Amino acid sequence: MKLLRYGPVGSEKPGVLDEGGKIRDLSGVIADISGDVLSDKGLAQLSDLDLESLPVVEGEPRIGACVGNIGKIMCIGLNYSDHAAEAGQPVPKEPILFMKATSAVCGPNDDVEIPRNSRKTDWEVELAVVIGKRAKYVTEEEALDHVAGYCVANDVSEREFQSERGGGWTKGKSHDTFGPLGPWLVTRDEVPDPQALNLWLDVDNVRRQDGSTATMVFSVAEIISYLSQFMTLNVGDVISTGTPPGVGMGIKPNPVFLKPGQEMKLGVEGLGIQLQKTVQA
């Protein structure tokens, strides 16, 4: 299934994409794409629905983040060896963990703000994982059973705030609109191997990133297991799993960063496409 949320900011309704690409309204069945809906039982109940019997959503509504009521967003740094190289960093021996504020989350096609006083706002296409079952001290073999589904993420980052101002990465990752998610939450049964997905990103129609999750340093299963040794992953938590090479700071000899008035287009194989314009905050 491809689950989504549509409507104005703060008033999104749950929906599902049918085989013809039409949005079907789920608001008569569930309140949101969150909580118990993301459990195996909840997803099984949705999969049993006759989608043709659900109301069609007319027009082209705004698409919101594909999951609601996110508890926490965990992110993995330098999880592609060639991205670590372009960043001038060694390949990590253990996953590098940081958090992105949930207030950064926005829809996949919403405008992305360039923060005030920013000089180095950058792009990062990533595979994101949405947790569907509480995970604590899980093994790698068990890990993927705790996934509700997968989606596209753009881990927008202000590099100066992140790396040149001290005090950790979070403030360079958490400006409003720095966390576009979606367009869809694709349930795990439709993603048999999360380590075999192509992902890409264009800026103003120039291909900047073109990679594959096959080259991750730490796999999705390894990441979930690792995180669960240090914290409980709850239903609806999101994990952003790292970005392939091609980010702005890695362009040699002169790094390239985002300015207001630009366009980012990005996607992950089978998970949909995002399209954002940059605006001044």
Side-chain angles (χ1 to χ4, degrees), residues 265-281:
K265 188 174 184 179
L266 58 145
V268 178
E269 182 180 355
L271 305 185
I273 293 172
Q274 300 185 354
L275 181 65
Q276 300 123 18
K277 295 187 183 301
T278 55
V279 298
Q280 185 62 56

PDB file of all heavy atoms in Angstrom, residues 265-281:
ATOM      1  N   LYS A 265      14.354  18.435  -6.841  1.00  0.00           N
ATOM      2  CA  LYS A 265      13.513  17.305  -7.207  1.00  0.00           C
ATOM      3  C   LYS A 265      14.267  16.043  -6.834  1.00  0.00           C
ATOM      4  O   LYS A 265      15.451  15.902  -7.184  1.00  0.00           O
ATOM      5  CB  LYS A 265      13.202  17.325  -8.699  1.00  0.00           C
ATOM      6  CG  LYS A 265      12.172  16.288  -9.147  1.00  0.00           C
ATOM      7  CD  LYS A 265      11.829  16.479 -10.621  1.00  0.00           C
ATOM      8  CE  LYS A 265      10.735  15.509 -11.067  1.00  0.00           C
ATOM      9  NZ  LYS A 265      10.380  15.697 -12.497  1.00  0.00           N
ATOM     10  N   LEU A 266      13.634  15.134  -6.112  1.00  0.00           N
ATOM     11  CA  LEU A 266      14.349  13.974  -5.584  1.00  0.00           C
ATOM     12  C   LEU A 266      13.410  12.794  -5.436  1.00  0.00           C
ATOM     13  O   LEU A 266      12.191  12.951  -5.333  1.00  0.00           O
ATOM     14  CB  LEU A 266      14.991  14.303  -4.229  1.00  0.00           C
ATOM     15  CG  LEU A 266      14.063  14.785  -3.109  1.00  0.00           C
ATOM     16  CD1 LEU A 266      14.549  14.280  -1.754  1.00  0.00           C
ATOM     17  CD2 LEU A 266      14.001  16.321  -3.093  1.00  0.00           C
ATOM     18  N   GLY A 267      13.999  11.603  -5.433  1.00  0.00           N
ATOM     19  CA  GLY A 267      13.179  10.420  -5.286  1.00  0.00           C
ATOM     20  C   GLY A 267      13.979   9.200  -4.873  1.00  0.00           C
ATOM     21  O   GLY A 267      15.208   9.179  -4.962  1.00  0.00           O
ATOM     22  N   VAL A 268      13.262   8.205  -4.403  1.00  0.00           N
ATOM     23  CA  VAL A 268      13.807   6.887  -4.099  1.00  0.00           C
ATOM     24  C   VAL A 268      12.966   5.876  -4.871  1.00  0.00           C
ATOM     25  O   VAL A 268      11.732   5.983  -4.913  1.00  0.00           O
ATOM     26  CB  VAL A 268      13.771   6.571  -2.593  1.00  0.00           C
ATOM     27  CG1 VAL A 268      14.313   5.172  -2.322  1.00  0.00           C
ATOM     28  CG2 VAL A 268      14.546   7.613  -1.791  1.00  0.00           C
ATOM     29  N   GLU A 269      13.625   4.919  -5.475  1.00  0.00           N
ATOM     30  CA  GLU A 269      12.965   3.941  -6.334  1.00  0.00           C
ATOM     31  C   GLU A 269      11.748   3.308  -5.660  1.00  0.00           C
ATOM     32  O   GLU A 269      11.852   2.744  -4.572  1.00  0.00           O
ATOM     33  CB  GLU A 269      13.973   2.857  -6.711  1.00  0.00           C
ATOM     34  CG  GLU A 269      13.460   1.793  -7.646  1.00  0.00           C
ATOM     35  CD  GLU A 269      14.530   0.767  -7.970  1.00  0.00           C
ATOM     36  OE1 GLU A 269      15.703   0.938  -7.547  1.00  0.00           O
ATOM     37  OE2 GLU A 269      14.203  -0.215  -8.658  1.00  0.00           O
ATOM     38  N   GLY A 270      10.593   3.443  -6.312  1.00  0.00           N
ATOM     39  CA  GLY A 270       9.365   2.851  -5.815  1.00  0.00           C
ATOM     40  C   GLY A 270       8.661   3.621  -4.720  1.00  0.00           C
ATOM     41  O   GLY A 270       7.553   3.253  -4.306  1.00  0.00           O
ATOM     42  N   LEU A 271       9.278   4.714  -4.243  1.00  0.00           N
ATOM     43  CA  LEU A 271       8.729   5.435  -3.092  1.00  0.00           C
ATOM     44  C   LEU A 271       8.200   6.821  -3.440  1.00  0.00           C
ATOM     45  O   LEU A 271       7.740   7.543  -2.563  1.00  0.00           O
ATOM     46  CB  LEU A 271       9.785   5.549  -1.983  1.00  0.00           C
ATOM     47  CG  LEU A 271      10.425   4.253  -1.493  1.00  0.00           C
ATOM     48  CD1 LEU A 271      11.344   4.524  -0.325  1.00  0.00           C
ATOM     49  CD2 LEU A 271       9.365   3.210  -1.125  1.00  0.00           C
ATOM     50  N   GLY A 272       8.272   7.193  -4.709  1.00  0.00           N
ATOM     51  CA  GLY A 272       7.721   8.479  -5.105  1.00  0.00           C
ATOM     52  C   GLY A 272       8.768   9.567  -5.253  1.00  0.00           C
ATOM     53  O   GLY A 272       9.970   9.348  -5.052  1.00  0.00           O
ATOM     54  N   ILE A 273       8.290  10.751  -5.609  1.00  0.00           N
ATOM     55  CA  ILE A 273       9.147  11.895  -5.922  1.00  0.00           C
ATOM     56  C   ILE A 273       8.706  13.114  -5.117  1.00  0.00           C
ATOM     57  O   ILE A 273       7.512  13.346  -4.918  1.00  0.00           O
ATOM     58  CB  ILE A 273       9.093  12.211  -7.433  1.00  0.00           C
ATOM     59  CG1 ILE A 273       9.726  11.075  -8.234  1.00  0.00           C
ATOM     60  CG2 ILE A 273       9.775  13.541  -7.769  1.00  0.00           C
ATOM     61  CD1 ILE A 273       9.558  11.205  -9.739  1.00  0.00           C
ATOM     62  N   GLN A 274       9.677  13.888  -4.661  1.00  0.00           N
ATOM     63  CA  GLN A 274       9.437  15.158  -3.994  1.00  0.00           C
ATOM     64  C   GLN A 274       9.856  16.299  -4.924  1.00  0.00           C
ATOM     65  O   GLN A 274      10.774  16.156  -5.717  1.00  0.00           O
ATOM     66  CB  GLN A 274      10.237  15.274  -2.696  1.00  0.00           C
ATOM     67  CG  GLN A 274       9.937  14.215  -1.657  1.00  0.00           C
ATOM     68  CD  GLN A 274      10.670  14.465  -0.343  1.00  0.00           C
ATOM     69  OE1 GLN A 274      11.497  15.365  -0.236  1.00  0.00           O
ATOM     70  NE2 GLN A 274      10.364  13.658   0.656  1.00  0.00           N
ATOM     71  N   LEU A 275       9.202  17.472  -4.765  1.00  0.00           N
ATOM     72  CA  LEU A 275       9.555  18.658  -5.535  1.00  0.00           C
ATOM     73  C   LEU A 275       9.398  19.873  -4.637  1.00  0.00           C
ATOM     74  O   LEU A 275       8.282  20.169  -4.200  1.00  0.00           O
ATOM     75  CB  LEU A 275       8.662  18.778  -6.770  1.00  0.00           C
ATOM     76  CG  LEU A 275       8.930  19.967  -7.688  1.00  0.00           C
ATOM     77  CD1 LEU A 275      10.313  19.851  -8.337  1.00  0.00           C
ATOM     78  CD2 LEU A 275       7.846  20.068  -8.761  1.00  0.00           C
ATOM     79  N   GLN A 276      10.504  20.548  -4.352  1.00  0.00           N
ATOM     80  CA  GLN A 276      10.476  21.686  -3.437  1.00  0.00           C
ATOM     81  C   GLN A 276      11.100  22.915  -4.062  1.00  0.00           C
ATOM     82  O   GLN A 276      12.104  22.811  -4.772  1.00  0.00           O
ATOM     83  CB  GLN A 276      11.223  21.356  -2.137  1.00  0.00           C
ATOM     84  CG  GLN A 276      10.660  20.190  -1.369  1.00  0.00           C
ATOM     85  CD  GLN A 276      11.655  19.091  -1.109  1.00  0.00           C
ATOM     86  OE1 GLN A 276      12.868  19.305  -1.197  1.00  0.00           O
ATOM     87  NE2 GLN A 276      11.168  17.904  -0.800  1.00  0.00           N
ATOM     88  N   LYS A 277      10.542  24.080  -3.750  1.00  0.00           N
ATOM     89  CA  LYS A 277      11.160  25.348  -4.088  1.00  0.00           C
ATOM     90  C   LYS A 277      11.735  25.956  -2.819  1.00  0.00           C
ATOM     91  O   LYS A 277      11.212  25.779  -1.718  1.00  0.00           O
ATOM     92  CB  LYS A 277      10.132  26.297  -4.715  1.00  0.00           C
ATOM     93  CG  LYS A 277       9.593  25.802  -6.054  1.00  0.00           C
ATOM     94  CD  LYS A 277       8.722  26.833  -6.721  1.00  0.00           C
ATOM     95  CE  LYS A 277       8.134  26.310  -8.023  1.00  0.00           C
ATOM     96  NZ  LYS A 277       9.182  25.921  -8.988  1.00  0.00           N
ATOM     97  N   THR A 278      12.857  26.645  -2.967  1.00  0.00           N
ATOM     98  CA  THR A 278      13.505  27.277  -1.817  1.00  0.00           C
ATOM     99  C   THR A 278      13.052  28.724  -1.701  1.00  0.00           C
ATOM    100  O   THR A 278      12.936  29.447  -2.690  1.00  0.00           O
ATOM    101  CB  THR A 278      15.034  27.215  -1.932  1.00  0.00           C
ATOM    102  OG1 THR A 278      15.432  27.806  -3.175  1.00  0.00           O
ATOM    103  CG2 THR A 278      15.516  25.778  -1.896  1.00  0.00           C
ATOM    104  N   VAL A 279      12.770  29.131  -0.463  1.00  0.00           N
ATOM    105  CA  VAL A 279      12.321  30.501  -0.180  1.00  0.00           C
ATOM    106  C   VAL A 279      13.113  31.024   1.009  1.00  0.00           C
ATOM    107  O   VAL A 279      13.637  30.259   1.822  1.00  0.00           O
ATOM    108  CB  VAL A 279      10.805  30.553   0.115  1.00  0.00           C
ATOM    109  CG1 VAL A 279       9.998  30.080  -1.087  1.00  0.00           C
ATOM    110  CG2 VAL A 279      10.453  29.724   1.348  1.00  0.00           C
ATOM    111  N   GLN A 280      13.170  32.340   1.125  1.00  0.00           N
ATOM    112  CA  GLN A 280      13.857  32.947   2.267  1.00  0.00           C
ATOM    113  C   GLN A 280      12.975  32.894   3.505  1.00  0.00           C
ATOM    114  O   GLN A 280      11.791  33.212   3.449  1.00  0.00           O
ATOM    115  CB  GLN A 280      14.215  34.393   1.953  1.00  0.00           C
ATOM    116  CG  GLN A 280      15.033  35.089   3.033  1.00  0.00           C
ATOM    117  CD  GLN A 280      16.386  34.418   3.245  1.00  0.00           C
ATOM    118  OE1 GLN A 280      17.156  34.271   2.308  1.00  0.00           O
ATOM    119  NE2 GLN A 280      16.667  34.023   4.478  1.00  0.00           N
ATOM    120  N   ALA A 281      13.542  32.480   4.613  1.00  0.00           N
ATOM    121  CA  ALA A 281      12.786  32.438   5.881  1.00  0.00           C
ATOM    122  C   ALA A 281      12.525  33.847   6.384  1.00  0.00           C
ATOM    123  O   ALA A 281      13.332  34.745   6.167  1.00  0.00           O
ATOM    124  CB  ALA A 281      13.562  31.653   6.922  1.00  0.00           C
TER     125      ALA A 281
END
